[in-house]
Amino acid sequence: NAGVTQTPKFQVLKTGQSMTLQCAQDMNHNSMYWYRQDPGMGLRLIYYSASEGTTDKGEVPNGYNVSRLNKREFSLRLESAAPSQTSVYFCASSKRGDSSIEQFFGPGTRLTVL
Amino acid sequence: GENVGLHLPTLSVQEGDNSIINCAYSNSASDYFIWYKQESGKGPQFIIDIRSNMDKRQGQRVTVLLNKTVKHLSLQIAATQPGDSAVYFCAENMGQGAQKLVFGQGTRLTINP
């Protein structure tokens, strides 16, 4: 099993450009999450999907949209990138959205917005 | 340590010694806590978790202690090894029935040979 995979690994955008970060998991997990991590900081939840067909805002949703394409895939879209969105983006999944279930993380996408 | 942005709290210990990493959490209603390890350039990796109805939980070489009175969490790593060098994050679940994790700033642990 590959676990949680993310593409691309690195991306450089200009201010105002758009892009979609892709995430897929092969563990048959119900819940998926998007986080961002700024230098020297902990992760902050952007959006999550407790189950296929549902999405909800996390701590820092502004400037982002998500799509739960199917049970395996959860994408994050930046419609008009801003320098403040320069960060490392992590996708995670868990077996279900219950409060006591471990999340498994992908390797991250390093995004720079110029 | 206080959150000072780029300057993570750091802890250096000698190989073979025990280490204790501390974390203060914010919400007395949080029902679940996790410790993650993050190596350079990688995603966080689960270490151990604890529910709010417990005050101690042990794993292999790791122990998590929860003190709800003062909203404090600690991670003890026994007999540290070079591979334990990483940044360690605590996280609390602030969701009600859903998992909405709030992460701490992190502590950089360095194991000296």
Side-chain angles (χ1 to χ4, degrees), chain A residues 33 35 37 39-45 48 57-59 90 94 97-107 110, chain B residues 3 5-6 8 31-32 34 36 38 41-44 46 49 51 89 93 95 97-106:
Chain A
Y33 312 82
Y35 294 88
Q37 184 177 31
M41 304 291 287
L43 283 73
R44 290 184 292 170
L45 182 64
Y48 67 101
K57 294 179 180 179
E59 185 183 352
F90 288 100
S94 64
D98 289 14
S99 64
S100 59
I101 298 297
E102 175 188 351
Q103 292 185 17
F104 294 81
F105 284 82
R110 281 147 186 80
Chain B
N3 181 344
L6 288 173
L8 283 175
D31 59 357
Y32 177 61
I34 317 175
Y36 280 95
Q38 187 176 29
K42 297 184 178 180
F46 172 90
D49 59 1
R51 298 185 186 189
F89 293 97
N93 180 47
Q99 212 179 67
K100 296 180 73 172
L101 294 181
V102 174
F103 282 74
Q105 179 193 15

Side-chain angles (χ1 to χ4, degrees), chain A residues 16-27:
Chain A
Q17 287 185 317
S18 62
M19 79 160 296
T20 300
L21 282 65
Q22 305 288 352
C23 174
Q25 51 89 12
D26 63 1
M27 296 175 281

